[in-house]
Amino acid sequence: MPSKGFTTADVPDQSGKCFIVTGANTGIGFEVASALAVRHARVLLACRDEAKARAAMSRIRQKTPGAELAFLPLDLADLASVRSAAELAAKEPRIDVLINNAGVQGPTLKHTAQGFEQTFGVNHLGCFALTALLLPKLMETLGSRIVVTSSGQHKDAKIEWEDLNAQKTYKWLPRYGASKLANLLFVFELDRRLSAAGAPVTAVACHPGLVGTNLARGSWWGNIALSLIGLLLATPAMGAWGALHAATGRIKPGGYYGPTGFSGLRGPSGEGVPSEEARNPQFAKRLWDVSVKMTGIDPGLHPTNDPS
């Protein structure tokens, strides 16, 4: 890997490989899908809205006429949709990389189809469920990867263990930060369990830095804040570098990758530093057990301290 860090220019040829990118119709997900298509990968755009996904595919093909693309219907706010998407994706000849990119946040308390608080339900539980359901398929391909997108906002975040569904209080920025902390706790625990099982799958985390996307749509505060700090914002194409690094570059299993400039806000991708809380194995195991109970989906990987 070049010393300057990882950018789109460093993505190697991906001929013969298949990637799933959630939330690929817009923002960072679109840029990730587009960059992979340029490098000859087959890309499944996992999105809620078929019209928007196909519009994104058309835009990618304008740049890369021969792009091999497919729409994968996926609504992370509905576990039934997650199951259907996993079943459909499993029919692919191979899946090399699952890139969990999609995420939500917002000032209004909302719930998923199963009644979970939406930020935690989509950003973590949906990601957990999709990963677990696709794990058997990923296991078929030596060197496959699972990429989970976190955020610098995981630092100083706390998970409301006794109020996961926000029945007592809801403050959207702390809830978003907690969901991103959950992403890291999950990927690090997943890495430990995959390693202990001798699985041919690598789990790795990434973050985009500070990017101007529509993630804060519906939030007047978020839109104002982003406009005030516009000079520090990375473009969605730059924000994709961390995910592309994690998905295709030279990485360490269980690593965390993202921008290395401006205190991790923008710039080429390199190794990041997760918070101490994100590295807490007790919290990670607790989250794993809670996630299995809430979703009813078990990845089937023993905890590392389980001799069986």
Side-chain angles (χ1 to χ4, degrees):
M1 184 180 69
S3 59
K4 64 179 176 57
F6 193 99
T7 70
T8 304
D10 299 302
V11 177
D13 183 82
Q14 300 297 311
S15 296
K17 293 186 177 182
C18 179
F19 292 72
I20 296 175
V21 183
T22 67
N25 63 284
T26 189
I28 293 169
F30 172 81
E31 297 295 342
V32 170
S34 181
L36 292 170
V38 169
R39 296 298 191 273
H40 312 114
R42 173 170 171 78
V43 185
L44 307 186
L45 286 78
C47 311
R48 287 180 301 168
D49 191 306
E50 182 172 0
K52 291 181 179 179
R54 296 201 179 279
M57 291 160 65
S58 178
R59 289 165 55 203
I60 292 173
R61 289 194 173 107
Q62 288 175 8
K63 179 180 179 182
T64 310
E68 190 176 355
L69 309 170
F71 167 59
L72 180 65
L74 171 68
D75 183 354
L76 289 168
D78 185 350
L79 292 178
S81 174
V82 174
R83 287 184 179 277
S84 295
E87 290 174 3
L88 186 59
K91 296 178 182 179
E92 290 285 320
R94 62 186 289 160
I95 297 176
D96 293 84
V97 184
L98 167 62
I99 302 178
N100 291 292
N101 161 79
V104 298
Q105 62 170 284
T108 304
L109 174 61
K110 297 180 181 180
H111 295 86
T112 69
Q114 283 71 38
F116 307 131
E117 185 276 311
Q118 183 172 267
T119 307
F120 184 75
V122 169
N123 295 0
H124 169 63
L125 293 177
C127 166
F128 175 89
L130 182 63
T131 299
L133 292 168
L134 283 175
L135 194 56
K137 185 65 182 183
L138 287 157
M139 290 272 198
E140 296 175 5
T141 302
L142 182 66
S144 60
R145 297 186 188 185
I146 295 164
V147 178
V148 177
T149 304
S150 183
S151 164
Q153 290 191 49
H154 83 275
K155 296 182 178 180
D156 299 320
K158 302 291 182 182
I159 294 176
E160 299 287 342
W161 295 105
E162 305 305 322
D163 190 28
L164 291 176
N165 286 324
Q167 295 172 314
K168 299 177 182 178
T169 62
Y170 178 78
K171 294 182 179 179
W172 70 279
L173 277 176
R175 289 282 173 175
Y176 178 72
S179 75
K180 296 290 99 178
L181 171 59
N183 288 149
L184 286 182
L185 287 168
F186 168 50
V187 79
F188 296 150
E189 180 69 6
L190 179 61
D191 169 66
R192 285 188 286 268
R193 295 187 185 219
L194 288 170
S195 178
V201 184
T202 295
V204 59
C206 67
H207 74 95
L210 189 62
V211 179
T213 70
N214 63 355
L215 182 62
R217 57 189 177 273
S219 165
W220 64 268
W221 186 94
N223 291 329
I224 291 174
L226 289 177
S227 67
L228 291 176
I229 56 178
L231 292 177
L232 289 176
L233 292 177
T235 64
M238 294 166 64
W241 292 344
L244 289 169
H245 187 179
T248 71
R250 294 175 57 189
I251 51 90
K252 298 176 182 177
Y256 178 51
Y257 297 87
T260 54
F262 292 93
S263 298
L265 298 181
R266 57 183 292 170
S269 176
E271 288 192 61
V273 181
S275 69
E276 183 176 345
E277 186 133 337
R279 286 291 189 184
N280 187 309
Q282 286 74 37
F283 288 163
K285 185 178 184 305
R286 181 178 185 182
L287 178 67
W288 186 283
D289 292 342
V290 165
S291 302
V292 170
K293 182 176 181 180
M294 293 179 76
T295 63
I297 298 170
D298 191 339
L301 294 170
H302 295 297
T304 55
N305 60 353
D306 187 339
S308 62

